[in-house]
């Protein structure tokens, strides 16, 4: 009997996750100087992380032979101050928000339970739900209506078997927020856990931040991350904000030491360096407007409004998204081909914010390809 006969059938159905391409991969495949490559495909902070983190990490090296604290009180306290949420309502994950997603599926899902996911959206929701035995009920962000959430497509899928509903706002990859009244309608229509993914909420207007709802509703869990504006995508720190009861259940099955000493120190320092945070946020929003206004000038593209640090673009010059993204790669520009997102036609790509210099070069290269 081979390993193929032992692997679960559900695993065999999965396609491998398609991450954004790295500079090293493009340099190797196309013979391009890595210093000339513009990476705008993974929704990262182009200004990096707080410069104060380097010194803190160096000081932490002598402690790396010791296990980290399962719950770091300083980190919990700083997250609490940042979110204005009590420590007892916060759970931190060591693989970004992905760990929180996976852990909530582990405590909720029995074989045959249902999870509602509007598409197109972040692909990890479906992967985690399916591997734990859930049946996926697909709702939709309406393409013909600017990818506005079709609320009825969510409500009509709610049954007694519904255990969780995922709502990404701002949504990845479309960049738009879900109106608060629509989320309220969903939350109050069910006792299923509504997962509101706020990975990019810092880039949005304050009125769209629903983190406080975790204290208002027992069936709400807010997902947050350090991977975006804090510039710590490489340290994999995410957290959930929810009821104390849900936190208690998740702590029973959470990997105890998933958050490393290095990631804890990095996250604490990032939260304390408020000046760098505000700088990145301000320049990130300016960069977003710069790219958006630049792309809007091309008649062969349709650019969607966004409240995140990226935007969705539809190609209308006769090329599909893979052909278009390949042309960009040959010129040293990495964007995200969205062909792998369920619910999108093969004409979309996603572009992240860059520095002013990167944006200028990107738009110049875009003009060469589009026209």
């Amino acid at each position: 009997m081979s390993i193929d006969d032992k692997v679960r059938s559900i695993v065999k159905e999965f396609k491998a996750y398609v991450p954004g391409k790295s500079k090293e991969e493009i340099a190797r495949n196309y013979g391009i100087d890595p210093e000339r490559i513009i990476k705008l495909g993974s929704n990262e902070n182009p200004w990096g992380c707080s410069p104060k983190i380097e010194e803190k990490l160096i000081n932490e090296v002598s402690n790396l032979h010791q296990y980290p604290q399962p719950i770091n009180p300083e980190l919990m306290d700083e997250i609490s101050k940042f979110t204005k949420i009590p420590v007892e309502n916060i759970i931190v994950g060591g693989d970004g928000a992905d760990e929180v997603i996976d852990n909530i599926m582990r405590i909720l899902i029995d074989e045959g339970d249902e999870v509602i996911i509007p598409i197109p959206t972040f692909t990890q929701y479906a992967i985690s739900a399916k591997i734990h035995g859930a049946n996926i009920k697909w709702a939709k962000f309406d393409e013909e209506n600017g990818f506005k959430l079709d609320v009825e497509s969510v409500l009509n899928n709610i049954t007694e078997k519904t255990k969780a509903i995922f709502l990404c706002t701002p949504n990845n990859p479309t960049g738009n927020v879900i109106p608060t009244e629509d989320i309220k309608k969903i939350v109050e229509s069910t006792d299923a856990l509504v997962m509101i993914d706020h990975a990019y909420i810092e880039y949005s207007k304050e009125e769209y931040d629903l983190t406080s709802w975790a204290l208002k509703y027992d069936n709400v869990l807010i997902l947050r991350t350090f991977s975006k504006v804090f510039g710590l995508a490489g340290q994999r720190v995410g957290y959930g904000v929810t009821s104390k009861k849900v936190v208690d259940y998740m702590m029973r099955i959470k990997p105890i030491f998933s958050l490393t000493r290095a990631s804890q120190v990095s996250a604490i320092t990032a939260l304390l360096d408020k000046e760098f945070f505000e700088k990145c946020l301000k320049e990130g929003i300016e960069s977003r407007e710069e790219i958006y206004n630049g792309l809007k000038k091309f008649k062969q593209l349709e650019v969607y409004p966004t409240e995140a640090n990226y935007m969705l673009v539809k190609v209308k010059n006769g090329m599909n998204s893979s052909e278009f993204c390949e042309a960009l790669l040959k010129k040293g520009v990495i964007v995200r081909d969205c062909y792998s997102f369920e619910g999108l036609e093969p004409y979309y790509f996603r572009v992240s914010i860059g520095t002013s210099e990167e944006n200028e070069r990107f738009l110049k290269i875009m003009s060469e390809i589009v026209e």
Side-chain angles (χ1 to χ4, degrees):
M1 184 178 289
S2 71
I3 188 64
D4 291 331
D5 299 313
K6 295 180 172 64
V7 171
R8 296 171 61 196
S9 58
I10 186 66
V11 175
K12 295 178 182 179
E13 296 176 11
F14 285 133
K15 295 179 182 178
Y17 178 73
V18 182
K21 297 183 182 296
S22 67
K23 287 187 176 183
E24 293 79 7
E25 179 183 356
I26 300 309
R28 186 170 57 247
N29 291 347
Y30 296 94
I32 301 172
D33 180 357
E35 297 299 317
R36 295 293 299 167
I37 295 174
I38 309 171
K39 188 183 181 190
L40 305 175
S42 298
N43 303 343
E44 297 159 335
N45 180 344
W47 299 280
C49 63
S50 165
K52 296 179 181 180
I53 290 176
E54 182 177 357
E55 180 183 352
K56 296 291 185 180
L57 287 177
I58 291 172
N59 293 337
E60 190 63 27
V61 168
S62 62
N63 297 321
L64 293 185
H65 65 292
Q66 299 176 350
Y67 284 108
Q69 296 183 75
I71 299 177
N72 186 308
E74 185 179 2
L75 176 57
M76 298 297 286
D77 186 53
E78 292 303 325
I79 293 176
S80 177
K81 292 175 184 175
F82 178 69
T83 58
K84 299 180 177 62
I85 297 292
V87 167
E88 65 186 18
N89 294 96
I90 300 168
I91 185 164
V92 183
D95 185 24
D98 290 0
E99 181 183 302
V100 182
I101 293 168
D102 196 62
N103 283 342
I104 202 68
M105 292 295 97
R106 291 172 70 189
I107 72 168
L108 289 182
I109 301 301
D110 284 319
E111 194 76 29
D113 286 338
E114 296 176 355
V115 171
I116 300 173
I117 304 175
I119 52 176
T121 198
F122 185 43
T123 56
Q124 187 61 35
Y125 308 147
I127 292 172
S128 188
K130 283 182 179 179
I131 202 65
H132 289 96
N135 294 324
I136 308 296
K137 298 294 184 178
W138 301 110
K140 67 175 181 177
F141 288 95
D142 189 353
E143 182 177 359
E144 295 182 1
N145 196 18
F147 291 104
K148 186 178 187 297
L149 177 66
D150 183 339
V151 179
E152 294 304 315
S153 73
V154 176
L155 297 177
N156 291 340
N157 271 308
I158 295 174
T159 72
E160 60 182 15
K161 292 184 178 182
T162 304
K163 286 289 189 71
I165 301 170
F166 285 95
L167 300 176
C168 189
T169 179
N171 186 43
N172 180 13
T174 58
N176 58 309
V177 294
I178 303 172
T180 301
E181 60 270 21
D182 289 346
I183 299 178
K184 186 173 187 287
K185 185 182 297 185
I186 293 168
V187 169
E188 294 183 349
S189 68
T190 179
D191 58 3
L193 189 68
V194 181
M195 310 270 283
I196 302 174
D197 191 340
H198 269 356
Y200 303 93
I201 198 62
E202 289 89 355
Y203 293 99
S204 303
K205 297 181 181 69
E206 188 175 348
E207 65 196 77
Y208 298 133
D209 186 349
L210 304 181
T211 303
S212 64
W213 282 25
L215 305 179
K216 181 180 179 181
Y217 296 101
D218 289 337
N219 66 326
V220 165
L221 187 149
I222 309 291
L223 292 165
R224 302 287 295 261
T225 184
F226 283 83
S227 295
K228 311 309 173 186
V229 69
F230 285 108
L232 290 176
Q235 288 287 32
R236 313 304 301 127
V237 187
Y239 59 100
V241 178
T242 187
S243 71
K244 183 180 183 300
K245 187 173 290 186
V246 173
V247 170
D248 289 344
Y249 279 122
M250 292 179 73
M251 287 302 298
R252 299 182 188 188
I253 52 88
K254 177 187 181 298
I256 298 303
F257 299 117
S258 65
L259 202 63
T260 68
R261 281 184 169 272
S263 57
Q264 289 179 11
V265 165
S266 299
I268 292 167
T269 308
L271 285 164
L272 290 172
D273 193 350
K274 295 177 175 56
E275 183 179 349
F276 187 76
F277 172 85
E278 293 297 337
K279 172 183 177 293
C280 289
L281 185 56
K282 177 178 178 294
E283 294 187 6
I285 292 173
E286 290 173 352
S287 173
R288 179 179 73 193
E289 297 307 306
E290 193 172 54
I291 295 177
Y292 180 82
N293 292 331
L295 292 177
K296 286 287 286 185
K297 296 176 182 178
F298 299 114
K299 295 180 180 179
Q300 302 93 331
L301 302 175
E302 183 172 355
V303 191
Y304 290 85
T306 177
E307 289 281 342
N309 68 341
Y310 56 86
M311 63 206 66
L312 187 70
V313 184
K314 185 175 185 179
V315 180
K316 299 192 296 184
N317 71 340
M319 303 170 76
N320 63 36
S321 61
S322 296
E323 293 167 339
F324 195 90
C325 292
E326 178 73 12
L328 283 171
L329 289 176
K330 290 178 179 178
K331 291 182 176 290
V333 176
I334 304 172
V335 297
R336 178 63 188 270
D337 184 355
C338 291
Y339 77 91
S340 63
F341 282 88
E342 192 80 33
L344 272 184
E345 295 178 346
Y347 300 102
Y348 291 91
F349 70 89
R350 189 191 67 200
V351 55
S352 309
I353 59 174
T355 65
S356 291
E357 180 185 359
E358 288 173 333
N359 293 347
E360 183 178 354
R361 287 177 53 209
F362 165 65
L363 292 170
K364 182 177 183 298
I365 291 170
M366 283 292 293
S367 67
E368 297 169 3
I369 294 175
V370 171
E371 298 176 358

